[in-house]
mmCIF file of all heavy atoms in Angstrom:
data_model
loop_
_atom_site.group_PDB
_atom_site.id
_atom_site.type_symbol
_atom_site.label_atom_id
_atom_site.label_comp_id
_atom_site.label_asym_id
_atom_site.label_seq_id
_atom_site.Cartn_x
_atom_site.Cartn_y
_atom_site.Cartn_z
ATOM 1 N N VAL A 202 -31.677 -47.939 -21.248
ATOM 2 C CA VAL A 202 -32.429 -46.998 -20.404
ATOM 3 C C VAL A 202 -31.876 -47.015 -18.982
ATOM 4 O O VAL A 202 -31.669 -45.970 -18.356
ATOM 5 C CB VAL A 202 -33.942 -47.351 -20.410
ATOM 6 C CG1 VAL A 202 -34.709 -46.472 -19.421
ATOM 7 C CG2 VAL A 202 -34.505 -47.192 -21.803
ATOM 8 N N LEU A 204 -28.869 -47.915 -17.964
ATOM 9 C CA LEU A 204 -27.528 -47.320 -17.902
ATOM 10 C C LEU A 204 -27.596 -45.800 -18.035
ATOM 11 O O LEU A 204 -26.829 -45.078 -17.393
ATOM 12 C CB LEU A 204 -26.629 -47.909 -18.999
ATOM 13 C CG LEU A 204 -26.238 -49.381 -18.809
ATOM 14 C CD1 LEU A 204 -25.504 -49.904 -20.039
ATOM 15 C CD2 LEU A 204 -25.366 -49.565 -17.569
ATOM 16 N N SER A 213 -25.097 -36.216 -12.357
ATOM 17 C CA SER A 213 -25.630 -35.066 -11.614
ATOM 18 C C SER A 213 -24.737 -34.743 -10.420
ATOM 19 O O SER A 213 -24.474 -33.576 -10.122
ATOM 20 C CB SER A 213 -27.039 -35.371 -11.103
ATOM 21 O OG SER A 213 -27.852 -35.764 -12.151
ATOM 22 N N LEU A 224 -16.070 -22.721 -10.328
ATOM 23 C CA LEU A 224 -16.278 -21.415 -9.700
ATOM 24 C C LEU A 224 -14.969 -20.859 -9.163
ATOM 25 O O LEU A 224 -14.607 -19.709 -9.404
ATOM 26 C CB LEU A 224 -17.280 -21.539 -8.549
ATOM 27 C CG LEU A 224 -18.762 -21.493 -8.903
ATOM 28 C CD1 LEU A 224 -19.600 -21.745 -7.662
ATOM 29 C CD2 LEU A 224 -19.129 -20.151 -9.504
ATOM 30 N N GLY A 256 -31.636 -41.550 13.103
ATOM 31 C CA GLY A 256 -31.181 -42.562 12.144
ATOM 32 C C GLY A 256 -32.277 -42.925 11.153
ATOM 33 O O GLY A 256 -33.415 -42.455 11.248
ATOM 34 N N PRO A 263 -40.521 -36.537 9.463
ATOM 35 C CA PRO A 263 -41.005 -37.242 8.276
ATOM 36 C C PRO A 263 -39.954 -37.206 7.165
ATOM 37 O O PRO A 263 -39.015 -36.398 7.210
ATOM 38 C CB PRO A 263 -42.263 -36.459 7.880
ATOM 39 C CG PRO A 263 -42.615 -35.632 9.059
ATOM 40 C CD PRO A 263 -41.359 -35.384 9.823
ATOM 41 N N PHE A 289 -7.573 -19.457 5.580
ATOM 42 C CA PHE A 289 -6.303 -19.872 6.198
ATOM 43 C C PHE A 289 -5.332 -20.571 5.243
ATOM 44 O O PHE A 289 -4.128 -20.559 5.475
ATOM 45 C CB PHE A 289 -6.581 -20.784 7.404
ATOM 46 C CG PHE A 289 -7.247 -20.042 8.527
ATOM 47 C CD1 PHE A 289 -8.610 -20.182 8.759
ATOM 48 C CD2 PHE A 289 -6.522 -19.171 9.331
ATOM 49 C CE1 PHE A 289 -9.233 -19.475 9.778
ATOM 50 C CE2 PHE A 289 -7.137 -18.464 10.348
ATOM 51 C CZ PHE A 289 -8.502 -18.606 10.576
ATOM 52 N N TYR A 291 -5.553 -20.415 1.508
ATOM 53 C CA TYR A 291 -5.336 -19.814 0.196
ATOM 54 C C TYR A 291 -5.080 -18.312 0.228
ATOM 55 O O TYR A 291 -4.251 -17.803 -0.519
ATOM 56 C CB TYR A 291 -6.533 -20.106 -0.723
ATOM 57 C CG TYR A 291 -6.811 -21.587 -0.909
ATOM 58 C CD1 TYR A 291 -8.105 -22.066 -1.040
ATOM 59 C CD2 TYR A 291 -5.771 -22.510 -0.939
ATOM 60 C CE1 TYR A 291 -8.362 -23.420 -1.200
ATOM 61 C CE2 TYR A 291 -6.015 -23.864 -1.090
ATOM 62 C CZ TYR A 291 -7.311 -24.315 -1.220
ATOM 63 O OH TYR A 291 -7.549 -25.650 -1.366
ATOM 64 N N ALA A 297 1.387 -15.325 -4.039
ATOM 65 C CA ALA A 297 2.559 -16.203 -4.161
ATOM 66 C C ALA A 297 2.551 -16.841 -5.555
ATOM 67 O O ALA A 297 1.543 -16.776 -6.265
ATOM 68 C CB ALA A 297 2.495 -17.281 -3.086
ATOM 69 N N TYR A 315 -7.375 -37.192 6.493
ATOM 70 C CA TYR A 315 -6.813 -37.888 7.654
ATOM 71 C C TYR A 315 -7.429 -37.406 8.971
ATOM 72 O O TYR A 315 -7.537 -38.184 9.920
ATOM 73 C CB TYR A 315 -5.279 -37.785 7.655
ATOM 74 C CG TYR A 315 -4.685 -38.684 6.607
ATOM 75 C CD1 TYR A 315 -4.175 -38.178 5.425
ATOM 76 C CD2 TYR A 315 -4.692 -40.070 6.768
ATOM 77 C CE1 TYR A 315 -3.675 -39.009 4.438
ATOM 78 C CE2 TYR A 315 -4.192 -40.918 5.795
ATOM 79 C CZ TYR A 315 -3.685 -40.383 4.635
ATOM 80 O OH TYR A 315 -3.203 -41.224 3.657
ATOM 81 N N VAL A 356 -35.223 -37.863 -6.895
ATOM 82 C CA VAL A 356 -34.843 -36.850 -5.901
ATOM 83 C C VAL A 356 -33.430 -36.323 -6.200
ATOM 84 O O VAL A 356 -33.192 -35.111 -6.221
ATOM 85 C CB VAL A 356 -34.893 -37.446 -4.471
ATOM 86 C CG1 VAL A 356 -34.233 -36.524 -3.454
ATOM 87 C CG2 VAL A 356 -36.328 -37.725 -4.069
ATOM 88 N N MET A 381 -18.699 -11.574 -9.805
ATOM 89 C CA MET A 381 -17.882 -12.788 -9.951
ATOM 90 C C MET A 381 -17.358 -12.882 -11.384
ATOM 91 O O MET A 381 -16.193 -13.215 -11.618
ATOM 92 C CB MET A 381 -18.710 -14.030 -9.599
ATOM 93 C CG MET A 381 -19.008 -14.160 -8.110
ATOM 94 S SD MET A 381 -20.250 -15.401 -7.754
ATOM 95 C CE MET A 381 -19.288 -16.865 -7.898
ATOM 96 N N ASP A 387 -10.900 -10.163 -15.165
ATOM 97 C CA ASP A 387 -9.698 -9.396 -14.825
ATOM 98 C C ASP A 387 -9.812 -8.910 -13.379
ATOM 99 O O ASP A 387 -10.548 -7.968 -13.083
ATOM 100 C CB ASP A 387 -9.554 -8.203 -15.781
ATOM 101 C CG ASP A 387 -8.194 -7.525 -15.648
ATOM 102 O OD1 ASP A 387 -7.658 -7.504 -14.513
ATOM 103 O OD2 ASP A 387 -7.672 -7.038 -16.666
ATOM 104 N N PHE A 420 -25.003 -38.252 -2.976
ATOM 105 C CA PHE A 420 -24.248 -39.462 -3.301
ATOM 106 C C PHE A 420 -24.413 -40.513 -2.196
ATOM 107 O O PHE A 420 -24.680 -41.685 -2.467
ATOM 108 C CB PHE A 420 -22.763 -39.127 -3.472
ATOM 109 C CG PHE A 420 -21.908 -40.320 -3.792
ATOM 110 C CD1 PHE A 420 -21.792 -40.771 -5.098
ATOM 111 C CD2 PHE A 420 -21.238 -41.004 -2.782
ATOM 112 C CE1 PHE A 420 -21.020 -41.893 -5.395
ATOM 113 C CE2 PHE A 420 -20.464 -42.119 -3.076
ATOM 114 C CZ PHE A 420 -20.352 -42.560 -4.389
ATOM 115 N N PHE A 439 -13.012 -32.877 -11.001
ATOM 116 C CA PHE A 439 -12.018 -32.085 -11.727
ATOM 117 C C PHE A 439 -12.043 -32.447 -13.214
ATOM 118 O O PHE A 439 -12.019 -31.574 -14.095
ATOM 119 C CB PHE A 439 -10.632 -32.351 -11.121
ATOM 120 C CG PHE A 439 -9.500 -31.769 -11.903
ATOM 121 C CD1 PHE A 439 -9.343 -30.400 -12.020
ATOM 122 C CD2 PHE A 439 -8.577 -32.592 -12.530
ATOM 123 C CE1 PHE A 439 -8.295 -29.855 -12.744
ATOM 124 C CE2 PHE A 439 -7.525 -32.062 -13.257
ATOM 125 C CZ PHE A 439 -7.382 -30.693 -13.365
ATOM 126 N N ALA A 455 -22.321 -29.841 -18.061
ATOM 127 C CA ALA A 455 -22.241 -30.772 -19.194
ATOM 128 C C ALA A 455 -21.143 -31.802 -18.964
ATOM 129 O O ALA A 455 -21.336 -33.004 -19.205
ATOM 130 C CB ALA A 455 -21.967 -29.994 -20.472
ATOM 131 N N LEU A 460 -19.355 -37.320 -18.151
ATOM 132 C CA LEU A 460 -18.544 -38.279 -17.405
ATOM 133 C C LEU A 460 -19.413 -39.386 -16.809
ATOM 134 O O LEU A 460 -19.050 -40.572 -16.853
ATOM 135 C CB LEU A 460 -17.788 -37.541 -16.296
ATOM 136 C CG LEU A 460 -16.637 -38.296 -15.668
ATOM 137 C CD1 LEU A 460 -15.566 -38.571 -16.704
ATOM 138 C CD2 LEU A 460 -16.042 -37.492 -14.518
ATOM 139 N N GLY A 486 -6.991 -37.010 -22.791
ATOM 140 C CA GLY A 486 -7.391 -36.667 -24.155
ATOM 141 C C GLY A 486 -7.784 -35.202 -24.268
ATOM 142 O O GLY A 486 -7.330 -34.491 -25.181
ATOM 143 N N VAL A 504 0.688 -10.887 -27.698
ATOM 144 C CA VAL A 504 2.144 -10.809 -27.606
ATOM 145 C C VAL A 504 2.679 -9.620 -28.405
ATOM 146 O O VAL A 504 3.830 -9.312 -28.360
ATOM 147 C CB VAL A 504 2.809 -12.117 -28.084
ATOM 148 C CG1 VAL A 504 2.494 -13.229 -27.133
ATOM 149 C CG2 VAL A 504 2.357 -12.453 -29.498
#
Side-chain angles (χ1 to χ4, degrees):
Chain A
V202 174
L204 291 173
S213 306
L224 276 175
F289 293 103
Y291 302 145
Y315 286 105
V356 168
M381 288 168 78
D387 191 327
F420 179 84
F439 171 66
L460 196 63
V504 293

